[in-house]
Amino acid sequence: MNTIAENHPFTINEQGHLDIGGADTVYLAKKYGTPLYVYDVSILRDNCRAFVQTFKELGASAQVAYASKAFSSTAMLQVVRQEGLSLDVVSQGELYTALQAEFPAEKIHMHGNNKSREELEMAIDHNVGCIVVDNFHEIELISSLLEKQNKEINVLMRVTPGIESKTHQYIMTGNEDSKFGFNLQNGQADRAFLELTKHEKIHFKGLHSHIGSQIFETDGFTLAADLLFKKLAEWNTDYGYIPEVLNLGGGFGIRYTKDDQPLAYAAYVKEMVSVVREQANHHNMPVPEIWIEPGRAIAGNAGITLYTVGSKKEIPGVRNYISVDGGMTDNLRPALYSARYEGVLANKASQPVKDKVSVAGKCCESGDMLIWDLPVPEVASEDILAVFSTGAYGYSMASHYNRLPNAGVVFVENGIDKLVVRRESFEDVVRNDLSYE
Ligand SMILES: *Cc1c(COP(=O)(O)O)cnc(C)c1O
């Protein structure tokens, strides 16, 4: 058994190949070509259910909204809809995709720190369930659109609670430096409160905060809930305001490498339900609905990327490189913020480790490296490399750098594979080009 594969929720089959959802990854690579994103749909469903069912077991009213920026496609949003989740979108493109997937509008929440008039108009036209208001400019835009269309809308107010997660710890930042949301401490949130609550067509449902990403502890959410409740209690005392919703955002951490030790998703939910009940009780207010927004935690570990190994370069005494047929175009995270990944040779998944190689992408950037110092069996050209936990922020951040066509996406469930995003053709790459002669 390959020890790296053991860190990830996949098995090795009788041929010694890596399996995903009951399908042989080497077969999938041959059938669909590489690079290729592959998702195990049963893991996607399990991830959704881990959040939803824990709220249910605790008897807490909640909405679990999948943050679709992590991975948005029609098929993905169909699965999320089937599992009964709500959905976060941050642009017209994400909203359009949600509508394509026949996502119920009342379960869609519109986010963004610079929503355009067109985006807000589309959201209001389609009667989305909620707009998460980020700034004063947006309140003005929404007001004028509601007047024009004679409509009403639910909103949450995004606030920066003055907590920042540094992955394994939290820092209190007195003067919150963030492009998102209203400052909770300096009077901004209070001004926004007055603007929102005086507006007849705006239903101000409560507060929203999102403290960061790839978080492995519950403390940050507890701290955020404390701070948000303090403000809500003030508004309760001063104006008799009763919040219906408290949205604590996303950011639940997943395993990319063996160094990541994620909590069970149920642990976050239990802590949130307990702190929200405690705080409501403490401030003599009704317990609001809890909303959360997992993105990575739904899509991340369910997806892998398959590549074909091409060239090798040995620098004696320094390092051995192998290059694959994708890279920063299909997974920007290593180049963007030195994100770390693990992988195995899918066609040699049961062979003992012999070598250590660094995996380079094929783009013309020295920073286009996918994995440094990966332990592998003896590597040869045409081997298939599987990189784990690429299900979130992989496809969604893909680019056409070097005019590489975007990779396709395959869903596997119970051994059955289905293409859900076509690989782009070269015609697709030049589709919007216009001639100048
Ligand atoms: C990005 C984002 C999320 C999801 O973050 P993950 O780390 O993928 O869980 C949730 N809410 C908001 C507001 C976000 O910006």
Side-chain angles (χ1 to χ4, degrees), residues 143-160:
S143 302
S144 82
L145 285 166
L146 291 177
E147 292 306 330
K148 202 174 94 194
Q149 302 189 12
N150 197 23
K151 283 210 165 178
E152 307 193 354
I153 195 92
N154 296 324
V155 311
L156 293 185
M157 184 200 304
R158 178 162 185 171
V159 294
T160 43

Side-chain angles (χ1 to χ4, degrees), residues 67 69 88 111 158 208 210 213 250-252 293-296 393:
K69 69 179 188 210
D88 278 3
H111 267 279
R158 178 162 185 171
H208 169 282
H210 172 70
S213 265
F252 315 103
E293 310 176 318
R296 184 191 319 271
Y393 307 106

Side-chain angles (χ1 to χ4, degrees), residues 71 125 133 139 142 158 184 191 208 217 333 338 360 395:
F71 169 47
D125 268 349
V133 171
I139 298 178
I142 292 175
R158 178 162 185 171
L184 203 53
R191 256 203 309 135
H208 169 282
E217 289 159 354
R333 296 183 70 255
S338 306
Y395 176 80

Side-chain angles (χ1 to χ4, degrees), residues 66-118:
Y66 169 59
S68 71
K69 69 179 188 210
F71 169 47
S72 174
S73 81
T74 304
M76 176 64 186
L77 302 194
Q78 286 168 336
V79 170
V80 172
R81 163 168 59 70
Q82 290 160 10
E83 293 302 323
L85 272 66
S86 299
L87 195 74
D88 278 3
V89 299
V90 300
S91 69
Q92 270 176 300
E94 286 186 3
L95 177 54
Y96 187 83
T97 310
L99 298 171
Q100 287 294 303
E102 297 183 336
F103 219 94
E106 71 271 15
K107 285 184 161 184
I108 299 176
H109 310 156
M110 184 83 185
H111 267 279
N113 69 303
N114 187 24
K115 303 177 191 77
S116 67
R117 179 182 289 274
E118 290 71 26

